[in-house]
Amino acid sequence: MSFTLPTLPYTYDAFEPYIDTQTMELHYTKHHQAYVNQLNLVVEQHNLHKYTLEELIVSYNQFLPEVGLVIRNHAGGHFNHTFFWQQMHPKGVRNPVGNSAKAIENAYKTYDLFKVAFENAAKSVFGSGWAWLCIDEKGTLKIITTPNQDCPLIFDMQPIMGLDVWEHAYYLKYQNKRPDYIAAWWQVVDWGVVEHNYNTVINSGK
Ligand code: MN3
């Protein structure tokens, strides 16, 4: 198969003032598109059309190292960004709900304590990477970080929420103030989608 950018269910200015219009447009049309293009190129060059995106991600180390690295970076980049866009919404639910809210209370006691833990993880990423809320193989919530475009799936983690902390995600508006961008994330994330992601993972038994 060849891969394409997902359609966004909102406009580039939907998250002003938390994420600025220009960053949204560049992030989607340039950065995400570049991952898609590079992924399609390696799929074409090595005849990998039979694989799904998830299959490429979890089996990247089955390929020759130089091919596997391209898959790891660009299949990961495509997955991560597709995931990122779909968990954001301008009219989203701004507090945890349902089963994921209960799981957060069990693991972190309160939403505020969870936010502190997640923000600290996101701030701790050295250089480019991501902070994630994941479900591990035991069904337990875990906050993890991944470098570059590494996808949680390669670490046997199922993501239910994730924040891109590459400078390209925030630098035009926030410059060096990554913590301010991270704090603004709570005005962007749609916990209705996170709840859907949580239930999907738990019900899939992964
Ligand atoms: Mn990005």
Side-chain angles (χ1 to χ4, degrees):
M1 70 169 64
S2 76
F3 298 98
T4 55
L5 280 184
T7 305
L8 297 185
Y10 40 72
T11 54
Y12 298 132
D13 64 354
F15 299 102
E16 290 279 0
Y18 307 108
I19 301 178
D20 64 284
T21 306
Q22 190 184 12
T23 293
M24 283 294 295
E25 181 167 3
L26 290 171
H27 200 175
Y28 175 75
T29 65
K30 304 296 182 192
H31 294 278
H32 189 172
Q33 184 70 62
Y35 298 118
V36 170
N37 293 348
Q38 291 300 312
L39 174 59
N40 284 333
L41 198 59
V42 77
V43 164
E44 193 61 41
Q45 284 171 338
H46 297 277
N47 198 22
L48 307 175
H49 298 89
K50 66 178 177 178
Y51 297 103
T52 66
L53 183 62
E54 286 78 5
E55 286 169 346
L56 287 170
I57 287 169
V58 298
S59 62
Y60 78 89
N61 57 5
Q62 310 288 311
F63 301 95
L64 289 171
E66 62 270 29
V67 177
L69 182 62
V70 176
I71 293 170
R72 181 176 185 164
N73 288 337
H74 297 284
H78 180 39
F79 179 100
N80 293 347
H81 286 84
T82 301
F83 184 93
F84 186 61
W85 308 126
Q86 60 90 32
Q87 47 158 8
M88 302 161 56
H89 201 277
K91 296 193 174 83
V93 182
R94 294 292 181 246
N95 284 289
V97 289
N99 296 322
S100 55
K102 285 189 204 120
I104 285 170
E105 275 179 27
N106 285 340
Y108 301 98
K109 293 196 167 55
T110 68
Y111 180 42
D112 282 341
L113 287 172
F114 161 75
K115 285 200 287 188
V116 171
F118 187 85
E119 289 186 22
N120 285 340
K123 288 177 206 168
S124 79
V125 175
F126 183 73
S128 298
W130 292 72
W132 303 93
L133 180 60
C134 292
I135 301 177
D136 72 8
E137 70 283 357
K138 294 183 187 133
T140 306
L141 284 186
K142 288 275 160 64
I143 294 170
I144 67 165
T145 64
T146 59
N148 306 311
Q149 291 298 348
D150 279 1
C151 177
L153 297 179
I154 68 178
F155 307 108
D156 273 335
M157 293 278 181
Q158 305 292 323
I160 63 167
M161 195 265 280
L163 179 59
D164 186 346
V165 293
W166 281 58
E167 284 187 347
H168 70 223
Y170 65 86
Y171 203 84
L172 291 178
K173 178 178 175 71
Y174 293 96
Q175 289 86 46
N176 60 318
K177 298 187 281 288
R178 185 194 281 181
D180 292 359
Y181 160 73
I182 295 168
W185 171 242
W186 310 117
Q187 305 302 322
V188 171
V189 64
D190 183 350
W191 284 97
V193 177
V194 180
E195 170 68 0
H196 173 79
N197 293 342
Y198 179 87
N199 289 326
T200 302
V201 172
I202 293 294
N203 293 332
S204 77
K206 277 183 183 165

